[in-house]
Amino acid sequence: MTSNADTVFTGGTVFRNALLTPQSGAVAVSDGRIVALDADAHAAIGPDTEIVDLRGGLLLPGFVDAHVHPIEAGLEQLACDLSAERTPEEYLATIAAYAEAHPERPWIVGGGWQQAAFPGGTPLAADLDRVVPHRPVFLQNRDHHGAWVNTAALRLAGIDHTTPDPADGRIERDADGTPNGMLHEGARSLVSRFVPVDTDEDVAAALVAAQQTLHGFGVTGWQDAIVGDYGSHTDTSDAYLQAMADGSLVSDVVGALWWDRDRGLEQIDDLIARRDAIARRAAALGTTTGRFTAGTVKIMQDGIPENRTAAMIDPYLRTCHCGDTAPEHGISFLEPAILVEAVTRLDAAGFQVHFHAIGDRAVRECLDALEAARDSNGESDNRHHIAHVQIVHPDDLPRFARLGVTMNMQALWATWEPQMLELNLPLLGDERASWQYPFGDAARLGTLLCAGSDWPVTTPDPWQALHVAVNRTLPADDPDHHAEPLNPGQSLTLGAAIAAYTRGSNRIDHRDDTGVIEVGAVADLVLVDRDPFAGPTTEIAHTRTVGTWIAGRRVFTSTTTSTEQGT
Protein backbone atom coordinates (compact mmCIF):
# COMPACT_ATOMS: atom_id res chain seq x y z
CA MET A 1 0.00 0.00 0.00
CA THR A 2 1.55 3.27 -1.10
CA SER A 3 1.69 6.07 1.46
CA ASN A 4 1.89 8.82 -1.13
CA ALA A 5 -0.70 8.81 -3.90
CA ASP A 6 -0.33 11.22 -6.80
CA THR A 7 -3.98 12.33 -6.55
CA VAL A 8 -6.85 11.68 -4.15
CA PHE A 9 -10.45 12.49 -5.06
CA THR A 10 -12.74 13.04 -2.09
CA GLY A 11 -15.83 14.91 -0.97
CA GLY A 12 -18.52 13.54 -3.28
CA THR A 13 -20.01 10.39 -4.75
CA VAL A 14 -18.31 7.77 -6.92
CA PHE A 15 -19.90 5.66 -9.68
CA ARG A 16 -17.87 2.47 -9.55
CA ASN A 17 -19.91 0.64 -12.23
CA ALA A 18 -20.37 -2.58 -10.26
CA LEU A 19 -23.66 -1.77 -8.52
CA LEU A 20 -24.86 0.78 -11.15
CA THR A 21 -25.51 3.30 -8.36
CA PRO A 22 -23.07 5.85 -6.89
CA GLN A 23 -21.71 5.70 -3.37
CA SER A 24 -19.90 8.26 -1.26
CA GLY A 25 -16.21 7.59 -1.10
CA ALA A 26 -12.68 8.52 -2.10
CA VAL A 27 -10.32 7.39 -4.86
CA ALA A 28 -6.51 7.42 -4.85
CA VAL A 29 -4.46 7.38 -8.05
CA SER A 30 -0.75 6.73 -8.59
CA ASP A 31 1.22 6.13 -11.78
CA GLY A 32 -1.93 6.32 -13.86
CA ARG A 33 -3.91 3.68 -12.00
CA ILE A 34 -6.37 3.54 -9.13
CA VAL A 35 -4.48 2.29 -6.07
CA ALA A 36 -6.95 2.68 -3.19
CA LEU A 37 -10.56 3.44 -2.34
CA ASP A 38 -12.39 5.04 0.60
CA ALA A 39 -10.48 4.87 3.89
CA ASP A 40 -7.43 3.42 2.18
CA ALA A 41 -7.50 6.33 -0.27
CA HIS A 42 -7.38 8.84 2.59
CA ALA A 43 -4.50 6.88 4.12
CA ALA A 44 -2.61 7.27 0.82
CA ILE A 45 -2.46 11.08 1.13
CA GLY A 46 1.11 12.29 1.42
CA PRO A 47 2.77 15.69 1.43
CA ASP A 48 2.89 15.86 -2.38
CA THR A 49 -0.56 14.45 -3.07
CA GLU A 50 -2.96 16.60 -5.06
CA ILE A 51 -6.36 16.58 -3.38
CA VAL A 52 -9.33 17.11 -5.66
CA ASP A 53 -12.45 18.11 -3.76
CA LEU A 54 -15.47 16.70 -5.58
CA ARG A 55 -17.65 19.36 -3.89
CA GLY A 56 -20.66 17.08 -3.88
CA GLY A 57 -20.25 16.18 -7.55
CA LEU A 58 -19.95 12.74 -9.11
CA LEU A 59 -16.71 10.99 -10.08
CA LEU A 60 -17.15 8.30 -12.69
CA PRO A 61 -15.09 6.43 -15.30
CA GLY A 62 -14.30 8.44 -18.40
CA PHE A 63 -16.78 8.09 -21.23
CA VAL A 64 -15.69 6.24 -24.36
CA ASP A 65 -17.50 7.16 -27.56
CA ALA A 66 -18.08 3.91 -29.43
CA HIS A 67 -19.07 5.54 -32.73
CA VAL A 68 -17.75 8.98 -33.61
CA HIS A 69 -16.10 10.87 -36.49
CA PRO A 70 -13.90 13.43 -34.69
CA ILE A 71 -11.69 14.52 -37.57
CA GLU A 72 -14.70 14.96 -39.82
CA ALA A 73 -16.34 16.96 -37.02
CA GLY A 74 -13.28 19.14 -36.61
CA LEU A 75 -13.07 19.79 -40.35
CA GLU A 76 -16.75 20.66 -40.48
CA GLN A 77 -16.31 23.17 -37.67
CA LEU A 78 -13.54 24.82 -39.69
CA ALA A 79 -15.69 24.97 -42.86
CA CYS A 80 -19.21 26.29 -43.55
CA ASP A 81 -20.81 25.05 -40.34
CA LEU A 82 -24.63 25.08 -40.43
CA SER A 83 -25.21 23.12 -37.22
CA ALA A 84 -26.37 26.16 -35.23
CA GLU A 85 -29.06 27.19 -37.73
CA ARG A 86 -32.56 25.76 -38.04
CA THR A 87 -34.42 27.24 -41.02
CA PRO A 88 -33.73 27.44 -44.77
CA GLU A 89 -33.42 31.21 -44.50
CA GLU A 90 -30.82 30.92 -41.75
CA TYR A 91 -28.89 28.30 -43.72
CA LEU A 92 -28.77 30.45 -46.83
CA ALA A 93 -27.72 33.55 -44.87
CA THR A 94 -24.86 31.62 -43.23
CA ILE A 95 -23.76 30.15 -46.57
CA ALA A 96 -23.79 33.59 -48.21
CA ALA A 97 -21.79 35.11 -45.36
CA TYR A 98 -19.25 32.29 -45.44
CA ALA A 99 -18.80 32.56 -49.21
CA GLU A 100 -18.32 36.32 -48.93
CA ALA A 101 -15.76 35.90 -46.15
CA HIS A 102 -13.79 33.29 -48.15
CA PRO A 103 -13.52 34.51 -51.76
CA GLU A 104 -10.26 32.58 -52.17
CA ARG A 105 -11.87 29.15 -51.74
CA PRO A 106 -12.77 27.44 -55.03
CA TRP A 107 -15.45 25.34 -53.33
CA ILE A 108 -17.90 26.09 -50.52
CA VAL A 109 -18.00 22.96 -48.37
CA GLY A 110 -19.37 22.14 -44.93
CA GLY A 111 -22.55 20.75 -43.48
CA GLY A 112 -24.87 20.39 -40.52
CA TRP A 113 -28.27 21.25 -42.04
CA GLN A 114 -31.38 19.30 -41.04
CA GLN A 115 -33.59 17.56 -43.59
CA ALA A 116 -36.72 18.32 -41.56
CA ALA A 117 -36.20 22.05 -42.29
CA PHE A 118 -37.18 21.49 -45.94
CA PRO A 119 -40.42 20.18 -47.48
CA GLY A 120 -39.99 16.44 -47.91
CA GLY A 121 -36.45 16.76 -46.59
CA THR A 122 -35.26 18.05 -49.97
CA PRO A 123 -33.42 21.38 -50.40
CA LEU A 124 -32.92 22.71 -53.90
CA ALA A 125 -29.92 23.71 -56.00
CA ALA A 126 -31.87 26.75 -57.14
CA ASP A 127 -31.84 28.15 -53.60
CA LEU A 128 -28.07 27.74 -53.35
CA ASP A 129 -27.66 29.33 -56.78
CA ARG A 130 -29.14 32.56 -55.43
CA VAL A 131 -26.40 32.97 -52.82
CA VAL A 132 -23.44 31.18 -54.50
CA PRO A 133 -24.05 31.19 -58.26
CA HIS A 134 -20.55 30.70 -59.66
CA ARG A 135 -18.59 28.47 -57.28
CA PRO A 136 -19.56 24.83 -56.63
CA VAL A 137 -21.17 24.10 -53.25
CA PHE A 138 -21.20 20.76 -51.40
CA LEU A 139 -22.93 20.68 -48.00
CA GLN A 140 -23.50 17.45 -46.08
CA ASN A 141 -26.72 17.17 -44.13
CA ARG A 142 -26.73 16.62 -40.38
CA ASP A 143 -26.68 12.82 -40.58
CA HIS A 144 -24.14 12.72 -43.45
CA HIS A 145 -26.35 10.52 -45.61
CA GLY A 146 -27.10 13.25 -48.12
CA ALA A 147 -25.62 16.37 -49.68
CA TRP A 148 -27.06 19.65 -50.91
CA VAL A 149 -25.29 20.92 -54.01
CA ASN A 150 -25.76 23.83 -56.39
CA THR A 151 -25.98 23.90 -60.16
CA ALA A 152 -22.28 24.72 -60.53
CA ALA A 153 -21.40 21.52 -58.65
CA LEU A 154 -23.80 19.41 -60.70
CA ARG A 155 -22.41 20.90 -63.90
CA LEU A 156 -18.80 20.32 -62.87
CA ALA A 157 -19.58 16.68 -62.06
CA GLY A 158 -21.42 16.20 -65.35
CA ILE A 159 -24.68 15.25 -63.64
CA ASP A 160 -27.82 15.80 -65.72
CA HIS A 161 -31.10 14.08 -66.53
CA THR A 162 -29.24 11.25 -68.29
CA THR A 163 -27.05 10.36 -65.28
CA PRO A 164 -28.17 7.05 -63.75
CA ASP A 165 -28.51 6.55 -60.01
CA PRO A 166 -25.57 4.63 -58.51
CA ALA A 167 -26.33 1.23 -56.98
CA ASP A 168 -25.86 2.57 -53.45
CA GLY A 169 -27.60 5.92 -53.73
CA ARG A 170 -30.06 8.19 -55.49
CA ILE A 171 -30.13 11.53 -57.29
CA GLU A 172 -33.23 13.50 -56.31
CA ARG A 173 -34.92 14.83 -59.46
CA ASP A 174 -37.65 17.11 -60.70
CA ALA A 175 -40.64 15.63 -62.52
CA ASP A 176 -38.79 15.80 -65.87
CA GLY A 177 -35.76 13.93 -64.47
CA THR A 178 -33.54 16.98 -63.97
CA PRO A 179 -31.37 16.69 -60.81
CA ASN A 180 -32.66 19.18 -58.24
CA GLY A 181 -29.67 19.50 -55.91
CA MET A 182 -30.13 16.67 -53.36
CA LEU A 183 -27.84 13.63 -53.50
CA HIS A 184 -28.50 10.59 -51.30
CA GLU A 185 -25.92 8.12 -49.98
CA GLY A 186 -23.51 6.91 -52.69
CA ALA A 187 -24.72 9.56 -55.13
CA ARG A 188 -22.77 12.09 -53.05
CA SER A 189 -19.52 10.67 -54.41
CA LEU A 190 -20.49 11.79 -57.92
CA VAL A 191 -19.71 15.32 -56.70
CA SER A 192 -17.48 14.79 -53.65
CA ARG A 193 -14.76 13.25 -55.81
CA PHE A 194 -14.17 16.74 -57.21
CA VAL A 195 -13.98 18.49 -53.82
CA PRO A 196 -10.41 19.55 -52.97
CA VAL A 197 -8.69 17.14 -50.60
CA ASP A 198 -8.11 18.40 -47.06
CA THR A 199 -4.50 19.31 -46.34
CA ASP A 200 -2.45 17.42 -43.76
CA GLU A 201 -2.32 20.60 -41.71
CA ASP A 202 -6.10 20.95 -41.72
CA VAL A 203 -6.58 17.32 -40.70
CA ALA A 204 -4.05 17.63 -37.86
CA ALA A 205 -5.72 20.80 -36.59
CA ALA A 206 -9.15 19.14 -36.81
CA LEU A 207 -7.98 16.17 -34.74
CA VAL A 208 -6.53 18.37 -31.99
CA ALA A 209 -9.64 20.56 -31.90
CA ALA A 210 -11.96 17.55 -31.80
CA GLN A 211 -9.97 15.89 -29.03
CA GLN A 212 -10.22 19.06 -26.94
CA THR A 213 -13.98 19.13 -27.49
CA LEU A 214 -14.34 15.50 -26.45
CA HIS A 215 -12.22 15.96 -23.33
CA GLY A 216 -14.46 18.88 -22.40
CA PHE A 217 -17.39 16.46 -22.35
CA GLY A 218 -15.56 13.86 -20.28
CA VAL A 219 -14.80 11.58 -23.25
CA THR A 220 -11.44 9.90 -22.66
CA GLY A 221 -11.30 7.57 -25.67
CA TRP A 222 -13.22 6.64 -28.79
CA GLN A 223 -13.70 4.42 -31.81
CA ASP A 224 -13.38 6.40 -35.04
CA ALA A 225 -16.14 4.89 -37.14
CA ILE A 226 -14.55 5.57 -40.56
CA VAL A 227 -10.82 5.45 -41.21
CA GLY A 228 -10.25 5.30 -44.94
CA ASP A 229 -11.07 7.03 -48.21
CA TYR A 230 -14.70 8.06 -47.89
CA GLY A 231 -16.51 10.92 -49.56
CA SER A 232 -14.17 13.88 -49.82
CA HIS A 233 -12.04 12.70 -46.87
CA THR A 234 -8.89 10.66 -47.24
CA ASP A 235 -7.51 7.98 -44.94
CA THR A 236 -6.87 9.58 -41.54
CA SER A 237 -4.65 6.84 -40.08
CA ASP A 238 -1.54 8.87 -40.89
CA ALA A 239 -2.97 11.81 -38.95
CA TYR A 240 -3.47 9.63 -35.88
CA LEU A 241 0.03 8.15 -36.13
CA GLN A 242 1.55 11.60 -36.53
CA ALA A 243 -0.40 12.79 -33.49
CA MET A 244 1.02 9.83 -31.58
CA ALA A 245 4.51 10.76 -32.71
CA ASP A 246 4.30 14.43 -31.69
CA GLY A 247 2.42 13.72 -28.46
CA SER A 248 -0.76 15.57 -29.39
CA LEU A 249 -2.84 12.39 -29.26
CA VAL A 250 -3.68 11.89 -25.60
CA SER A 251 -6.65 9.52 -25.89
CA ASP A 252 -6.62 5.86 -26.86
CA VAL A 253 -8.35 5.44 -30.22
CA VAL A 254 -9.52 2.43 -32.20
CA GLY A 255 -9.85 3.11 -35.91
CA ALA A 256 -12.52 1.27 -37.90
CA LEU A 257 -11.05 0.68 -41.35
CA TRP A 258 -13.60 1.51 -44.05
CA TRP A 259 -15.04 -1.30 -46.16
CA ASP A 260 -15.07 0.11 -49.69
CA ARG A 261 -18.42 -0.67 -51.31
CA ASP A 262 -16.91 -0.18 -54.76
CA ARG A 263 -14.62 -3.13 -54.19
CA GLY A 264 -15.18 -6.77 -53.28
CA LEU A 265 -13.67 -9.50 -51.15
CA GLU A 266 -10.23 -8.87 -52.63
CA GLN A 267 -9.85 -5.89 -50.31
CA ILE A 268 -9.58 -8.15 -47.24
CA ASP A 269 -5.87 -8.76 -47.90
CA ASP A 270 -5.38 -4.98 -48.13
CA LEU A 271 -7.23 -4.46 -44.84
CA ILE A 272 -5.02 -7.02 -43.12
CA ALA A 273 -1.92 -5.33 -44.51
CA ARG A 274 -3.13 -1.88 -43.39
CA ARG A 275 -3.94 -3.13 -39.89
CA ASP A 276 -0.55 -4.78 -39.52
CA ALA A 277 1.36 -1.81 -40.94
CA ILE A 278 -0.42 0.57 -38.54
CA ALA A 279 0.41 -1.74 -35.63
CA ARG A 280 4.10 -1.83 -36.59
CA ARG A 281 4.31 1.96 -36.98
CA ALA A 282 2.52 2.55 -33.70
CA ALA A 283 4.74 0.08 -31.84
CA ALA A 284 7.85 1.74 -33.23
CA LEU A 285 6.77 5.10 -31.78
CA GLY A 286 6.81 3.72 -28.24
CA THR A 287 4.78 6.66 -26.90
CA THR A 288 3.39 6.74 -23.39
CA THR A 289 0.35 8.91 -24.15
CA GLY A 290 -2.48 8.14 -26.59
CA ARG A 291 -2.43 5.04 -28.73
CA PHE A 292 -3.98 4.30 -32.11
CA THR A 293 -4.88 0.81 -33.27
CA ALA A 294 -6.90 -0.39 -36.28
CA GLY A 295 -8.21 -3.87 -35.60
CA THR A 296 -11.77 -3.07 -36.66
CA VAL A 297 -13.50 -2.94 -40.05
CA LYS A 298 -16.54 -0.70 -40.60
CA ILE A 299 -19.28 -2.06 -42.88
CA MET A 300 -22.17 0.25 -43.72
CA GLN A 301 -25.01 -2.08 -44.64
CA ASP A 302 -27.76 0.45 -45.36
CA GLY A 303 -28.79 4.09 -45.23
CA ILE A 304 -31.57 5.91 -43.35
CA PRO A 305 -35.38 5.87 -43.42
CA GLU A 306 -35.71 9.56 -44.28
CA ASN A 307 -34.63 8.94 -47.87
CA ARG A 308 -35.86 5.32 -48.01
CA THR A 309 -32.35 3.86 -48.14
CA ALA A 310 -32.56 2.03 -44.79
CA ALA A 311 -33.04 -1.65 -45.66
CA MET A 312 -36.49 -2.83 -44.56
CA ILE A 313 -38.13 -6.26 -44.46
CA ASP A 314 -41.51 -4.85 -45.49
CA PRO A 315 -41.92 -1.94 -47.92
CA TYR A 316 -42.06 1.67 -46.89
CA LEU A 317 -45.42 3.34 -46.82
CA ARG A 318 -46.14 5.54 -49.83
CA THR A 319 -46.96 8.69 -47.88
CA CYS A 320 -43.70 10.49 -48.54
CA HIS A 321 -42.00 13.06 -50.76
CA CYS A 322 -39.11 10.79 -51.76
CA GLY A 323 -40.07 10.42 -55.39
CA ASP A 324 -41.00 7.37 -57.41
CA THR A 325 -37.38 6.29 -57.80
CA ALA A 326 -36.92 5.68 -54.08
CA PRO A 327 -36.68 1.91 -53.45
CA GLU A 328 -39.69 0.36 -51.71
CA HIS A 329 -37.58 -1.77 -49.36
CA GLY A 330 -34.47 0.42 -49.11
CA ILE A 331 -30.96 -0.63 -50.10
CA SER A 332 -28.67 -3.33 -48.75
CA PHE A 333 -25.27 -1.92 -49.65
CA LEU A 334 -23.69 -5.38 -49.58
CA GLU A 335 -25.56 -8.32 -51.03
CA PRO A 336 -26.34 -10.70 -48.14
CA ALA A 337 -24.24 -13.54 -49.57
CA ILE A 338 -21.24 -11.21 -50.00
CA LEU A 339 -21.79 -9.85 -46.48
CA VAL A 340 -21.70 -13.38 -45.04
CA GLU A 341 -18.47 -14.21 -46.84
CA ALA A 342 -16.84 -10.89 -45.93
CA VAL A 343 -17.73 -11.10 -42.25
CA THR A 344 -16.69 -14.75 -42.01
CA ARG A 345 -13.28 -13.99 -43.50
CA LEU A 346 -12.78 -10.83 -41.45
CA ASP A 347 -13.67 -12.68 -38.27
CA ALA A 348 -11.24 -15.47 -39.15
CA ALA A 349 -8.53 -12.83 -39.67
CA GLY A 350 -9.11 -11.50 -36.15
CA PHE A 351 -10.95 -8.33 -37.11
CA GLN A 352 -13.77 -6.85 -35.11
CA VAL A 353 -16.62 -5.82 -37.40
CA HIS A 354 -18.40 -2.53 -36.68
CA PHE A 355 -21.67 -2.41 -38.62
CA HIS A 356 -23.95 0.46 -39.53
CA ALA A 357 -27.49 -0.96 -39.63
CA ILE A 358 -30.62 1.19 -39.37
CA GLY A 359 -33.46 -0.81 -40.94
CA ASP A 360 -34.79 -4.12 -39.67
CA ARG A 361 -33.60 -6.00 -42.75
CA ALA A 362 -30.09 -4.57 -42.43
CA VAL A 363 -29.97 -5.55 -38.75
CA ARG A 364 -31.11 -9.06 -39.65
CA GLU A 365 -28.54 -9.34 -42.45
CA CYS A 366 -25.74 -8.32 -40.06
CA LEU A 367 -26.88 -10.84 -37.44
CA ASP A 368 -27.12 -13.54 -40.12
CA ALA A 369 -23.55 -12.78 -41.22
CA LEU A 370 -22.25 -12.91 -37.66
CA GLU A 371 -24.05 -16.18 -37.01
CA ALA A 372 -22.55 -17.67 -40.15
CA ALA A 373 -19.09 -16.48 -39.08
CA ARG A 374 -19.49 -18.11 -35.69
CA ASP A 375 -20.71 -21.36 -37.24
CA SER A 376 -17.70 -21.38 -39.57
CA ASN A 377 -14.96 -20.11 -37.27
CA GLY A 378 -16.18 -20.97 -33.79
CA GLU A 379 -16.37 -18.55 -30.87
CA SER A 380 -14.02 -15.55 -30.92
CA ASP A 381 -13.19 -12.58 -28.75
CA ASN A 382 -13.49 -10.09 -31.61
CA ARG A 383 -16.41 -8.29 -29.93
CA HIS A 384 -18.45 -7.39 -33.00
CA HIS A 385 -21.06 -4.66 -32.66
CA ILE A 386 -23.95 -3.19 -34.64
CA ALA A 387 -24.40 0.57 -34.44
CA HIS A 388 -27.60 2.62 -34.66
CA VAL A 389 -30.12 -0.29 -34.65
CA GLN A 390 -33.04 2.06 -35.17
CA ILE A 391 -35.63 -0.51 -36.24
CA VAL A 392 -35.18 -4.07 -34.97
CA HIS A 393 -37.72 -6.76 -35.75
CA PRO A 394 -38.85 -8.36 -32.45
CA ASP A 395 -37.81 -11.79 -33.73
CA ASP A 396 -34.21 -10.60 -33.98
CA LEU A 397 -33.85 -9.03 -30.54
CA PRO A 398 -32.90 -12.27 -28.70
CA ARG A 399 -30.20 -12.99 -31.27
CA PHE A 400 -27.91 -10.21 -29.99
CA ALA A 401 -27.39 -11.88 -26.63
CA ARG A 402 -27.34 -15.39 -28.10
CA LEU A 403 -24.59 -14.45 -30.55
CA GLY A 404 -22.69 -12.21 -28.12
CA VAL A 405 -23.19 -9.19 -30.41
CA THR A 406 -23.00 -5.76 -28.75
CA MET A 407 -25.72 -3.20 -29.48
CA ASN A 408 -23.99 0.13 -30.14
CA MET A 409 -26.51 2.80 -29.08
CA GLN A 410 -26.82 6.36 -30.28
CA ALA A 411 -29.35 6.99 -27.55
CA LEU A 412 -29.89 10.68 -28.32
CA TRP A 413 -31.87 9.65 -31.39
CA ALA A 414 -34.45 7.64 -29.41
CA THR A 415 -36.95 10.48 -29.15
CA TRP A 416 -39.68 12.29 -31.04
CA GLU A 417 -38.18 15.27 -32.86
CA PRO A 418 -38.98 16.96 -36.19
CA GLN A 419 -37.08 14.55 -38.41
CA MET A 420 -38.64 11.55 -36.65
CA LEU A 421 -42.15 13.00 -36.74
CA GLU A 422 -42.17 14.53 -40.20
CA LEU A 423 -39.95 12.21 -42.23
CA ASN A 424 -39.64 8.85 -40.46
CA LEU A 425 -43.05 8.13 -38.99
CA PRO A 426 -45.00 8.61 -42.26
CA LEU A 427 -42.70 6.09 -43.94
CA LEU A 428 -42.64 3.50 -41.16
CA GLY A 429 -46.14 3.44 -39.71
CA ASP A 430 -47.11 2.90 -36.09
CA GLU A 431 -46.08 -0.75 -35.71
CA ARG A 432 -42.52 -0.32 -36.95
CA ALA A 433 -42.25 2.98 -35.08
CA SER A 434 -42.90 0.99 -31.90
CA TRP A 435 -39.83 -1.17 -32.66
CA GLN A 436 -37.44 1.76 -32.67
CA TYR A 437 -34.33 1.81 -30.47
CA PRO A 438 -35.27 -1.21 -28.29
CA PHE A 439 -32.59 -0.66 -25.66
CA GLY A 440 -34.70 -1.67 -22.66
CA ASP A 441 -35.76 -5.00 -24.14
CA ALA A 442 -32.21 -5.65 -25.30
CA ALA A 443 -30.87 -5.10 -21.79
CA ARG A 444 -33.53 -7.34 -20.26
CA LEU A 445 -32.55 -10.09 -22.71
CA GLY A 446 -28.91 -9.85 -21.61
CA THR A 447 -27.57 -7.97 -24.64
CA LEU A 448 -24.23 -6.25 -24.19
CA LEU A 449 -24.55 -2.48 -24.71
CA CYS A 450 -22.09 0.23 -25.65
CA ALA A 451 -22.78 3.83 -26.60
CA GLY A 452 -21.61 6.64 -28.84
CA SER A 453 -22.66 9.94 -30.35
CA ASP A 454 -21.97 9.75 -34.12
CA TRP A 455 -20.67 13.32 -33.82
CA PRO A 456 -20.84 15.50 -35.97
CA VAL A 457 -24.26 14.03 -36.75
CA THR A 458 -25.29 14.96 -33.20
CA THR A 459 -23.59 16.42 -30.14
CA PRO A 460 -20.74 14.48 -28.51
CA ASP A 461 -22.08 15.40 -25.03
CA PRO A 462 -22.80 12.05 -23.32
CA TRP A 463 -25.23 13.64 -20.85
CA GLN A 464 -27.57 14.63 -23.67
CA ALA A 465 -27.65 11.01 -24.84
CA LEU A 466 -27.97 9.69 -21.29
CA HIS A 467 -30.92 12.00 -20.71
CA VAL A 468 -32.77 10.51 -23.69
CA ALA A 469 -31.74 6.94 -22.80
CA VAL A 470 -33.51 7.38 -19.46
CA ASN A 471 -36.41 9.70 -20.40
CA ARG A 472 -36.91 8.93 -24.12
CA THR A 473 -37.51 12.67 -24.59
CA LEU A 474 -35.24 15.61 -25.24
CA PRO A 475 -34.77 18.08 -22.35
CA ALA A 476 -37.71 20.40 -21.79
CA ASP A 477 -35.65 23.44 -22.80
CA ASP A 478 -34.60 21.92 -26.13
CA PRO A 479 -36.40 23.64 -29.03
CA ASP A 480 -37.20 20.19 -30.47
CA HIS A 481 -38.62 18.86 -27.18
CA HIS A 482 -41.74 16.72 -27.56
CA ALA A 483 -43.66 15.94 -24.37
CA GLU A 484 -44.55 12.38 -25.35
CA PRO A 485 -41.68 9.90 -24.86
CA LEU A 486 -40.75 7.59 -27.71
CA ASN A 487 -41.50 3.99 -26.70
CA PRO A 488 -41.01 4.64 -22.96
CA GLY A 489 -40.85 0.93 -22.19
CA GLN A 490 -37.43 0.90 -23.88
CA SER A 491 -35.84 3.33 -21.43
CA LEU A 492 -32.76 2.40 -19.41
CA THR A 493 -31.86 3.23 -15.86
CA LEU A 494 -29.24 5.93 -15.54
CA GLY A 495 -26.79 3.43 -14.10
CA ALA A 496 -27.21 1.01 -16.99
CA ALA A 497 -26.87 3.81 -19.55
CA ILE A 498 -23.65 5.11 -17.94
CA ALA A 499 -22.28 1.57 -17.77
CA ALA A 500 -22.84 1.22 -21.52
CA TYR A 501 -21.00 4.51 -22.19
CA THR A 502 -18.06 3.56 -19.97
CA ARG A 503 -17.46 -0.13 -19.29
CA GLY A 504 -19.42 -1.25 -22.37
CA SER A 505 -17.60 1.01 -24.81
CA ASN A 506 -14.22 0.19 -23.29
CA ARG A 507 -15.05 -3.48 -23.71
CA ILE A 508 -15.51 -3.28 -27.49
CA ASP A 509 -12.15 -1.50 -27.67
CA HIS A 510 -10.60 -4.44 -25.77
CA ARG A 511 -9.67 -2.14 -22.88
CA ASP A 512 -10.66 -4.39 -20.00
CA ASP A 513 -8.49 -2.59 -17.46
CA THR A 514 -10.54 0.61 -17.42
CA GLY A 515 -14.15 1.78 -17.53
CA VAL A 516 -14.62 1.01 -13.86
CA ILE A 517 -13.44 2.58 -10.61
CA GLU A 518 -11.70 -0.20 -8.75
CA VAL A 519 -8.20 -0.89 -7.51
CA GLY A 520 -5.89 -1.67 -10.41
CA ALA A 521 -7.97 0.02 -13.11
CA VAL A 522 -6.49 2.67 -15.39
CA ALA A 523 -7.47 6.07 -13.97
CA ASP A 524 -9.53 7.41 -16.88
CA LEU A 525 -11.92 9.57 -14.89
CA VAL A 526 -14.42 12.39 -15.26
CA LEU A 527 -15.79 14.69 -12.55
CA VAL A 528 -19.18 16.33 -13.07
CA ASP A 529 -20.78 19.19 -11.18
CA ARG A 530 -23.58 17.24 -9.53
CA ASP A 531 -24.81 13.77 -8.66
CA PRO A 532 -27.43 13.24 -11.39
CA PHE A 533 -28.73 10.20 -9.53
CA ALA A 534 -29.84 12.46 -6.67
CA GLY A 535 -31.99 14.81 -8.79
CA PRO A 536 -34.99 14.31 -11.06
CA THR A 537 -34.31 12.43 -14.28
CA THR A 538 -35.59 15.46 -16.20
CA GLU A 539 -32.40 17.30 -15.13
CA ILE A 540 -29.85 14.73 -16.36
CA ALA A 541 -28.96 16.75 -19.48
CA HIS A 542 -27.90 19.72 -17.36
CA THR A 543 -24.93 17.80 -15.92
CA ARG A 544 -21.64 19.51 -16.79
CA THR A 545 -18.05 18.30 -16.85
CA VAL A 546 -15.72 19.83 -14.27
CA GLY A 547 -12.56 17.87 -15.01
CA THR A 548 -11.25 14.99 -17.12
CA TRP A 549 -8.26 12.72 -16.41
CA ILE A 550 -6.62 10.15 -18.68
CA ALA A 551 -4.35 7.63 -16.93
CA GLY A 552 -4.32 10.00 -13.96
CA ARG A 553 -3.26 13.00 -16.02
CA ARG A 554 -5.57 15.98 -16.08
CA VAL A 555 -6.55 16.84 -19.67
CA PHE A 556 -9.47 19.19 -19.04
CA THR A 557 -10.52 21.62 -16.33
CA SER A 558 -13.69 23.67 -16.57
CA THR A 559 -13.11 27.40 -16.76
CA THR A 560 -16.32 28.05 -14.82
CA THR A 561 -16.02 25.67 -11.89
CA SER A 562 -12.96 24.93 -9.77
CA THR A 563 -12.73 21.88 -7.52
CA GLU A 564 -9.02 21.90 -6.81
CA GLN A 565 -7.59 22.15 -3.33
CA GLY A 566 -4.00 21.88 -2.23
CA THR A 567 -2.62 22.98 -5.62
Side-chain angles (χ1 to χ4, degrees), residues 168-192:
D168 61 347
R170 191 174 80 255
I171 302 167
E172 204 71 64
R173 305 171 190 269
D174 293 334
D176 63 358
T178 302
N180 67 12
M182 181 67 189
L183 305 174
H184 298 289
E185 302 295 348
R188 293 171 298 160
S189 66
L190 300 176
V191 170
S192 66

Side-chain angles (χ1 to χ4, degrees), residues 409-431:
M409 307 182 298
Q410 284 61 61
L412 183 62
W413 305 351
T415 183
W416 295 115
E417 44 81 35
Q419 191 155 302
M420 177 72 75
L421 287 163
E422 298 169 20
L423 300 179
N424 282 6
L425 183 59
L427 292 171
L428 298 176
D430 291 339
E431 182 181 30

Side-chain angles (χ1 to χ4, degrees), residues 107 125 129 136-138 147-166 169-174 176-195:
W107 280 73
D129 294 343
V137 179
F138 182 85
W148 182 15
V149 300
N150 66 350
T151 299
L154 292 169
R155 188 179 298 118
L156 179 66
I159 300 173
D160 59 23
H161 69 283
T162 67
T163 306
D165 289 343
R170 191 174 80 255
I171 302 167
E172 204 71 64
R173 305 171 190 269
D174 293 334
D176 63 358
T178 302
N180 67 12
M182 181 67 189
L183 305 174
H184 298 289
E185 302 295 348
R188 293 171 298 160
S189 66
L190 300 176
V191 170
S192 66
R193 70 185 65 176
F194 296 98
V195 174

Side-chain angles (χ1 to χ4, degrees), residues 93-147:
T94 299
I95 295 163
Y98 181 87
E100 183 178 359
H102 297 282
E104 79 288 355
R105 300 197 173 177
W107 280 73
I108 302 302
V109 299
W113 57 273
Q114 297 192 47
Q115 283 186 261
F118 298 91
T122 304
L124 301 176
D127 293 328
L128 282 178
D129 294 343
R130 296 202 314 269
V131 295
V132 188
H134 303 301
R135 283 182 285 172
V137 179
F138 182 85
L139 300 166
Q140 301 255 38
N141 67 352
R142 184 180 69 172
D143 57 30
H144 286 232
H145 287 267

